[in-house]
Amino acid sequence: MIINTEMERKGNQFPNKIVSFEKDVDTIYFTTENNVLLQLTVIRDSVLRFRYATNSNLENDFSYAIAEDYTRGYNFLEINEDETCYTITTSKLICQIRKEDAHVKIFDAKDQTLISEDDWGFHWEEHCDYGGNIVKMSKMTQDGESFYGLGDKPVHVNLRGKRFENWVTDSYAFGKDTDPIYKTIPFFMGLHHKKAYGIFFDNTFRSFFDFAHERRHVTSFWAQGGEMNYYFIYGPEMSDVVSGYSNLTGTPELPPLWALGYHQCKWSYYPESKVRDVASKFRSLQIPCDAIYLDIDYMEEFRCFTWSKAYFPEPKKMVADLADDGFKTIVIIDPGIKVDKDYKIYQEGIANDYFCKRADGPYMRGRVWPGECFFPDFTKPEVRKWWSGLFKELISEIGVKGVWNDMNEPAVMEVPNKTFPNDVRHDYDGNPCSHRKAHNIYGMQMSKATYEGLVKYSYPKRPFVITRASYSGGQRYSSTWTGDNVATWEHLWIANVQAQRMALSGFSFAGSDIGGFAEQPTGELYTRWMQLGAFHPFFRTHSSGDHGDQEPWSFDDEVLSIVKKFIELRYKLLPYLYTAFWKYINEGSPILKSLVLFDQDDNQTHNRTDEFIFGDKILACPVIEPNAKGRRMYIPKGKWYNLWTNAVIEGGKETWVDADIDSMPIFIKEGAVIPVYPVQQYVGEKEITELTLEVYFKKGKEKSQLYEDSQDGYDYKKGRYSLRNFRVVGKKNELIIQQHQSGKFITSYETFKINFHGLPFDVSKVKIDKEEIAFADVKVNGGNSIIVSKEFTELHIIGK
Ligand code: GLC
């Protein structure tokens, strides 16, 4: 076999003939003649796990990524053997393992479409320097296959033709195609023949993915250590793949509603008077804002868990005054602990052996903002416990509401590799290892420790954490932002693709530094960025502060009024966004959906980058060029209402959409019921006495949902939530809205104001639960708007 000689020349080793086969409930073990062990676990009918060991020894099965409570269990499992292969059949998949060389082929169980097929399959190289293996997997790229996922990579939505590296990296002023970058999310999806699958390569070493870049017909992934350990997740719907991945790696606690409001940040707001000025300016200009951030200058010479006495003499009072005005204070906490024998945190770290050490024993020293620092080993349970306890004063006593974890790649200044050297030792929760294995999860474990502190001390309120570095599963503990971007138009494009990619990689609660972190945006760029930001799950302006200001009023009156209008739009849409969060958390459905995820059957969507669906009913597309009066965009199939004009457009085509600087292309799916709150200056400012429902007529049926609860706290877990399922049925001369409510939460409002859009008839009669109501009693605005009790189960609008 020529190919084998060629492969051997490359120094790779391969499994050979399968000589034994064993089944243990849901797990099947195949051993080859040259001692490769393939452990195949049937997690669900559509999820298979593959682990390979050379020399037959599997590692201790430990993962930071996999959620404790992921779903296991299948409906059907059958294993057959013939001369050439073993065949494992579930209700969704057929998986063949070739006897000759353990090659894997996976088919759709229903129609036998080939979904995935090994090229060289598993192979490895012994790692001479470190021991262990460089583990590799190569699969055939299928005809017309597109690839998606991989977290925050700042590239085109479709990854085909590209190669990537995963090594969490502080990437100040990164650009399009910068790689590696801040996060490691080794999960991708492939889509071909209208069917999608996903692969999650749960390996924390430096890893690589090649999507038909080196060889046109081959997609491969490999890591510089650890095991070949991957999960194959089948759709065929891409949305099922994402939710399958979310099920495996988890979703966060529902955020407090205020965290979905607007956040204002800068490096740095200080002294206290500056913070107060910024906050009061929001209120005097009536621009909604829920959170204000303190960057590193609030500390005493950048010592974590201290306050600068000169700048913030009375933090508790300031935080309380801000809270009275509706502002939640969020503070930054970095991992570097200043080497200072008089500093309590440093002393505790030394006394208890909490800091990371080099292979031969000395502490890991690195320079960050405070100068020379030591770094807690967040992979050690005792260290996380200690760290979580450090938040007591900040949260319980001072009243801080959220914590911002930064520099946790971990970033080290003045060294070429920007991080720890490889030999640094970590506990890895009782699986001691070097930094090669722990690097990619260091930031995630820091955010976990922080999260545990916030859960404890924010109780009975919900925690809010934001982190820069993370790994798959990190979404359980924290929201995130895309790091130090730049105030350029290209970065607006990048912010858009990164937020979409994060969402389809299971990490929905993400956003960018609006306006750009480095350099100064023009008023126009800032405005366009705010328009996009209003549709990102995390909505925050942040800037490095070494240029001009970046608050809504820092430009001119036109910018101010447009930015205000978009922040107000965000606040109106809060109940809709909160419902999308609830669906993300419960069903793993991403809050932002790239068009391919929304309609994978339409080939036109496979390479669209700019348009996305916010929640499940709103189509948005930012304007990302200067001096634009609108833009061309693709409208997915179906009928859509232009939010601003109510004009209906038939999708399935590219079209020009007007959007001067005060506008942005936004469309609502026909049949949608969009819940709307009144504009508030901050969440909870007003009691909601009436809920507005914007109903967009459709000839046909459509379902919408509205999830509400007390907006914070944990009562919703005891059934105190309200879920409204709406079903709209439109006909030539009538419109029926059915409502099914569940849950024990009593909403503060008694009535709905329903605004009708696109009714093709004049209303003559209204029936509520089959009873006719005098039209004059409900009508508000010539039949386009009615007010009804929130209790209805069926509303029947009849035309003349
Ligand atoms: C890093 C962060 C940035 C922060 C700065 C100072 O560059 O990414 O957001 O403002 O450090 O703390």
Side-chain angles (χ1 to χ4, degrees):
M1 291 213 330
I2 297 161
I3 190 153
N4 252 330
T5 351
E6 186 201 326
M7 289 185 283
E8 274 155 18
R9 250 196 291 128
K10 286 180 193 255
N12 288 309
Q13 300 184 56
F14 298 82
N16 59 10
K17 211 168 82 195
I18 295 176
V19 290
S20 87
F21 155 85
E22 226 178 277
K23 176 176 179 276
D24 180 10
V25 196
D26 57 359
T27 302
I28 307 143
Y29 298 87
F30 302 93
T31 310
T32 66
E33 206 175 47
N34 61 345
N35 268 330
V36 172
L37 175 68
L38 161 58
Q39 182 197 63
L40 197 169
T41 307
V42 179
I43 307 249
R44 293 201 272 155
D45 289 290
S46 55
V47 182
L48 304 177
R49 180 183 180 195
F50 295 84
R51 288 176 78 189
Y52 294 86
T54 57
N55 301 322
S56 305
N57 295 316
L58 286 163
E59 292 178 1
N60 179 31
D61 193 13
F62 174 79
S63 165
Y64 282 121
I66 301 295
E68 272 169 25
D69 56 352
Y70 73 93
T71 316
R72 288 188 80 145
Y74 42 82
N75 296 310
F76 181 78
L77 177 61
E78 195 178 83
I79 302 163
N80 292 305
E81 180 184 352
D82 63 20
E83 262 168 46
T84 56
C85 58
Y86 294 95
T87 304
I88 295 131
T89 307
T90 72
S91 69
K92 292 272 174 59
L93 291 173
I94 300 168
C95 174
Q96 289 180 349
I97 314 283
R98 197 157 73 194
K99 288 184 170 172
E100 186 193 335
D101 51 11
H103 268 210
V104 176
K105 268 191 184 180
I106 300 175
F107 303 84
D108 179 304
K110 252 196 221 131
D111 61 13
Q112 270 83 52
T113 309
L114 176 65
I115 303 300
S116 169
E117 172 185 14
D118 279 359
D119 161 55
W120 292 354
F122 171 61
H123 50 295
W124 75 98
E125 241 180 282
E126 272 177 35
H127 206 309
C128 310
D129 294 339
Y130 295 100
N133 297 321
I134 298 167
V135 290
K136 309 178 187 182
M137 172 60 62
S138 65
K139 296 192 176 280
M140 302 297 290
T141 307
Q142 303 297 321
D143 283 346
E145 186 162 7
S146 297
F147 297 96
Y148 307 92
L150 239 53
D152 60 341
K153 303 295 184 195
V155 298
H156 192 287
V157 170
N158 185 350
L159 306 170
R160 184 164 180 150
K162 299 206 168 70
R163 174 182 281 200
F164 300 94
E165 180 176 343
N166 289 309
W167 185 253
V168 171
T169 304
D170 175 8
S171 311
Y172 173 79
F174 63 95
K176 200 170 171 181
D177 298 331
T178 294
D179 189 50
I181 189 165
Y182 295 97
K183 293 165 188 84
T184 288
I185 305 198
F187 163 68
F188 74 89
M189 289 180 275
L191 169 66
H192 60 87
H193 302 96
K194 306 200 162 164
K195 296 186 187 329
Y197 68 91
I199 286 185
F200 171 42
F201 180 28
D202 188 10
N203 180 312
T204 62
F205 284 81
R206 191 188 291 263
S207 62
F208 299 83
F209 285 74
D210 185 304
F211 300 101
H213 168 81
E214 185 177 314
R215 290 194 285 154
R216 237 161 53 94
H217 298 294
V218 178
T219 293
S220 54
F221 47 94
W222 64 99
Q224 292 183 345
E227 262 178 15
M228 176 45 62
N229 167 27
Y230 74 91
Y231 295 79
F232 180 89
I233 307 162
Y234 187 47
E237 292 303 315
M238 217 167 159
S239 52
D240 291 332
V241 181
V242 181
S243 64
Y245 169 77
S246 295
N247 180 271
L248 276 178
T249 59
T251 52
E253 174 65 65
L254 201 55
L257 187 61
W258 65 259
L260 310 190
Y262 175 66
H263 301 215
Q264 182 68 40
C265 186
K266 180 186 171 166
W267 178 17
S268 283
Y269 288 131
Y270 70 91
E272 178 181 323
S273 57
K274 177 73 189 171
V275 180
R276 288 179 183 272
D277 284 352
V278 172
S280 68
K281 190 102 189 212
F282 272 99
R283 297 298 179 245
S284 66
L285 293 171
Q286 292 281 284
I287 302 167
C289 183
D290 261 277
I292 192 150
Y293 284 63
L294 302 181
D295 204 325
I296 49 176
D297 298 282
Y298 80 92
M299 304 177 201
E300 194 69 65
E301 291 174 336
F302 311 130
R303 287 176 188 80
C304 292
F305 305 101
T306 66
W307 288 83
S308 154
K309 288 195 188 59
Y311 298 146
F312 295 93
E314 290 182 295
K316 189 170 177 175
K317 177 151 193 326
M318 179 190 76
V319 170
D321 290 348
L322 288 170
D324 286 345
D325 208 7
F327 286 95
K328 291 83 194 165
T329 304
I330 295 171
V331 300
I332 197 166
I333 290 285
D334 289 351
I337 298 299
K338 189 175 175 64
V339 172
D340 167 5
K341 61 179 176 17
D342 299 324
Y343 167 37
K344 195 167 148 260
I345 311 290
Y346 173 80
Q347 291 164 350
E348 287 179 16
I350 295 286
N352 299 297
D353 200 13
Y354 289 155
F355 294 130
C356 293
K357 288 185 182 145
R358 303 293 299 267
D360 297 327
Y363 286 108
M364 163 59 216
R365 289 164 184 264
R367 297 187 72 80
V368 219
W369 308 122
E372 192 167 71
C373 286
F374 289 174
F375 301 82
D377 181 10
F378 294 107
T379 73
K380 196 171 185 176
E382 297 95 282
V383 175
R384 289 197 298 270
K385 188 150 189 261
W386 165 66
W387 186 261
S388 71
L390 298 177
F391 290 94
K392 182 161 191 251
E393 186 182 307
L394 274 175
I395 310 295
S396 316
E397 287 163 36
I398 297 177
V400 162
K401 290 287 181 299
V403 174
W404 173 20
N405 282 166
D406 186 27
M407 306 293 278
N408 52 356
E409 291 68 29
V412 177
M413 294 167 174
E414 299 166 26
V415 291
N417 72 341
K418 299 184 185 181
T419 191
F420 292 2
N422 277 337
D423 69 275
V424 170
R425 304 291 301 162
H426 295 273
D427 180 64
Y428 213 94
D429 280 66
N431 301 274
C433 67
S434 79
H435 197 62
R436 294 171 66 239
K437 182 172 174 179
H439 176 81
N440 279 333
I441 52 81
Y442 185 86
M444 172 203 195
Q445 290 310 298
M446 179 193 187
S447 68
K448 180 180 188 203
T450 302
Y451 164 83
E452 282 163 358
L454 268 91
V455 168
K456 201 162 20 177
Y457 301 116
S458 305
Y459 193 84
K461 303 287 188 195
R462 302 175 201 158
F464 176 73
V465 178
I466 172 160
T467 183
R468 193 169 73 175
S470 206
Y471 179 75
S472 290
Q475 71 271 10
R476 300 197 294 272
Y477 315 119
S478 180
S479 63
T480 190
W481 89 107
T482 56
D484 296 342
N485 58 4
V486 188
T488 63
W489 288 92
E490 184 173 80
H491 263 275
L492 180 53
W493 180 90
I494 293 176
N496 184 17
V497 292
Q498 284 187 303
Q500 289 180 47
R501 186 187 308 293
M502 286 299 286
L504 53 80
S505 307
F507 213 134
S508 273
F509 202 179
S512 66
D513 282 354
I514 294 173
F517 177 75
E519 299 174 23
Q520 174 73 354
T522 59
E524 186 190 7
L525 176 58
Y526 184 67
T527 306
R528 291 303 195 187
W529 210 317
M530 269 287 203
Q531 293 172 350
L532 172 65
F535 291 89
H536 280 171
F538 179 64
F539 183 28
R540 180 183 79 163
T541 292
H542 180 42
S543 65
S544 64
D546 49 15
H547 47 72
D549 289 336
Q550 214 155 293
E551 288 94 30
W553 53 85
S554 308
F555 302 89
D556 58 33
D557 287 349
E558 192 189 19
V559 172
L560 172 63
S561 77
I562 302 166
V563 160
K564 180 174 171 182
K565 168 171 136 182
F566 276 83
I567 298 180
E568 287 179 350
L569 177 60
R570 167 71 165 221
Y571 277 75
K572 290 186 198 163
L573 290 174
L574 281 177
Y576 173 82
L577 177 58
Y578 197 50
T579 304
F581 260 89
W582 173 79
K583 282 191 207 175
Y584 162 54
I585 281 148
N586 284 282
E587 296 157 17
S589 146
I591 294 170
L592 303 184
K593 298 173 183 72
S594 301
L595 291 197
V596 62
L597 189 79
F598 180 73
D599 186 358
Q600 71 190 45
D601 290 348
D602 175 3
N603 285 341
Q604 295 293 320
T605 66
H606 296 190
N607 287 302
R608 301 305 307 191
T609 50
D610 296 359
E611 310 83 354
F612 61 92
I613 309 290
F614 172 70
D616 53 6
K617 299 283 191 290
I618 299 181
L619 165 68
C621 184
V623 173
I624 52 173
E625 280 177 7
N627 302 316
K629 302 268 178 228
R631 61 165 294 155
R632 287 194 72 78
M633 66 178 279
Y634 184 72
I635 312 279
K637 288 183 181 163
K639 281 191 179 141
W640 301 83
Y641 286 77
N642 184 314
L643 175 80
W644 312 104
T645 64
N646 261 342
V648 177
I649 181 163
E650 178 78 51
K653 61 170 181 259
E654 212 183 78
T655 188
W656 171 267
V657 179
D658 287 332
D660 212 336
I661 187 69
D662 60 346
S663 184
M664 167 185 172
I666 303 166
F667 295 86
I668 316 287
K669 195 174 180 211
E670 65 164 352
V673 176
I674 309 282
V676 169
Y677 276 173
V679 171
Q680 306 178 71
Q681 296 312 303
Y682 55 90
V683 165
E685 184 205 22
K686 292 183 183 155
E687 191 181 41
I688 312 296
T689 51
E690 187 166 85
L691 186 84
T692 303
L693 299 177
E694 305 289 347
V695 175
Y696 292 82
F697 180 83
K698 173 183 185 178
K699 217 169 182 182
K701 298 173 195 151
E702 188 74 35
K703 287 180 180 165
S704 299
Q705 287 182 309
L706 166 60
Y707 172 85
E708 293 166 286
D709 61 19
S710 61
Q711 306 183 351
D712 204 339
Y714 298 95
D715 273 5
Y716 78 99
K717 294 199 166 167
K718 297 181 209 125
R720 279 191 205 90
Y721 63 85
S722 160
L723 178 63
R724 298 177 191 278
N725 281 291
F726 296 108
R727 185 165 173 266
V728 165
V729 186
K731 296 180 187 160
K732 201 167 147 225
N733 206 30
E734 57 186 315
L735 173 69
I736 297 166
I737 305 173
Q738 292 162 335
Q739 178 186 209
H740 176 262
Q741 196 270 346
S742 57
K744 291 188 286 193
F745 181 71
I746 315 272
T747 52
S748 55
Y749 54 86
E750 291 300 328
T751 51
F752 292 132
K753 177 175 176 198
I754 304 182
N755 294 327
F756 297 109
H757 301 262
L759 272 192
F761 50 80
D762 289 328
V763 182
S764 71
K765 266 192 230 162
V766 174
K767 286 186 185 171
I768 297 177
D769 298 337
K770 308 240 181 320
E771 254 179 65
E772 195 168 324
I773 305 292
F775 190 34
D777 289 351
V778 288
K779 165 176 102 155
V780 181
N781 174 20
N784 287 327
S785 178
I786 64 174
I787 289 181
V788 295
S789 155
K790 69 175 178 185
E791 307 291 353
F792 77 84
T793 53
E794 188 173 287
L795 189 67
H796 201 157
I797 315 290
I798 301 152
K800 282 197 181 118

